[in-house]
Amino acid sequence: MTDRPVLAARLAVESDTERVVELRAESERWLAERGIQQWTAKWDEIGREKIRRNIANRETWVFEVGGEVVATVTLNTRPDLDFWDPDTDGPALYLYKLLVARDRAGRGLGGDIVDWSVDQAARQGFPWLRLDVWRTNQGLQRYYLEHGFEHVRTVVVDGRDSGACFQRRATPVSVPHIVDEGVRDAL
């Protein structure tokens, strides 16, 4: 892979909200242009509020290159109860909203962030990193399988497009292309 930068990871702060929203909108456009049904503009205001809440709850991380936010991921302990049952499935860290700027795609950054997230789960004592993806997005399902996840089940819930559930064992992972900057003081 060419031009693979080192990412500086830090917890997102309020002033990062618009950039995270931009990354989401950019991904929506890219998916729609390719006919991939996932994430639509109807999500806009609800999605903005979710992003604000995730940042306020210190669950969203941003990844920078030269001070520019080029990717983001949200990690928390709240499973989507439509797809995961904490009593049956047990504890895990959950990955949501992994987004990489389209001009940085194809350089392994997403895979690095997945590995970094697995390492975060292990550091926090969780046995699993879990996620769910849209049932119709076969490409994304293959992506996570190629990055060490196993398909647990597919759940169909009326009114929900997601439901393909995946998990990866949480083990310490060295990710040389990510430097943990931790928490930046709010500006």
Side-chain angles (χ1 to χ4, degrees):
M1 275 172 230
T2 61
D3 195 26
R4 188 171 183 179
V6 173
L7 302 174
R10 65 171 172 79
L11 272 171
V13 294
E14 185 178 353
S15 61
D16 294 312
T17 303
E18 285 309 309
R19 178 60 179 148
V20 174
V21 168
E22 287 171 11
L23 288 170
R24 172 68 186 240
E26 182 182 57
S27 291
E28 288 172 6
R29 287 189 302 275
W30 184 85
L31 290 164
E33 289 167 2
R34 281 149 188 79
I36 300 170
Q37 179 169 356
Q38 179 152 342
W39 293 352
T40 59
K42 70 180 181 181
W43 175 91
D44 191 45
E45 198 47 48
I46 293 169
R48 285 177 182 272
E49 183 51 39
K50 284 183 179 181
I51 288 171
R52 282 186 201 100
R53 192 174 3 172
N54 291 142
I55 290 172
N57 289 340
R58 299 168 57 94
E59 300 167 340
T60 298
W61 290 80
V62 292
F63 300 84
E64 297 177 319
V65 174
E68 175 192 359
V69 173
V70 299
T72 184
V73 71
T74 295
L75 301 172
N76 66 44
T77 59
R78 291 186 316 279
D80 186 322
L81 298 177
D82 281 343
F83 309 127
W84 298 101
D85 180 348
D87 293 332
T88 304
D89 296 321
L93 189 64
Y94 292 85
L95 182 149
Y96 298 100
K97 300 180 203 80
L98 171 57
L99 304 165
V100 175
R102 297 313 313 153
D103 66 349
R104 301 290 181 141
R107 299 177 190 173
L109 305 184
D112 285 346
I113 294 169
V114 166
D115 287 345
W116 178 87
S117 298
V118 167
D119 186 66
Q120 294 299 307
R123 287 173 186 257
Q124 295 177 39
F126 291 102
W128 300 102
L129 179 67
R130 292 191 177 127
L131 54 89
D132 62 87
V133 301
W134 282 37
R135 296 184 312 270
T136 57
N137 193 335
Q138 298 298 315
L140 188 56
Q141 291 179 37
R142 275 191 307 277
Y143 177 85
Y144 283 115
L145 289 170
E146 291 167 1
H147 284 85
F149 284 80
E150 62 184 62
H151 178 255
V152 176
R153 65 182 161 266
T154 297
V155 179
V156 177
V157 176
D158 286 342
R160 300 289 308 269
D161 295 307
S162 196
C165 301
F166 293 83
Q167 65 184 13
R168 181 171 158 188
R169 174 77 54 196
T171 57
V173 179
S174 174
V175 187
H177 289 95
I178 297 181
V179 175
D180 193 346
E181 298 288 323
V183 181
R184 183 176 84 182
D185 293 331
L187 301 177

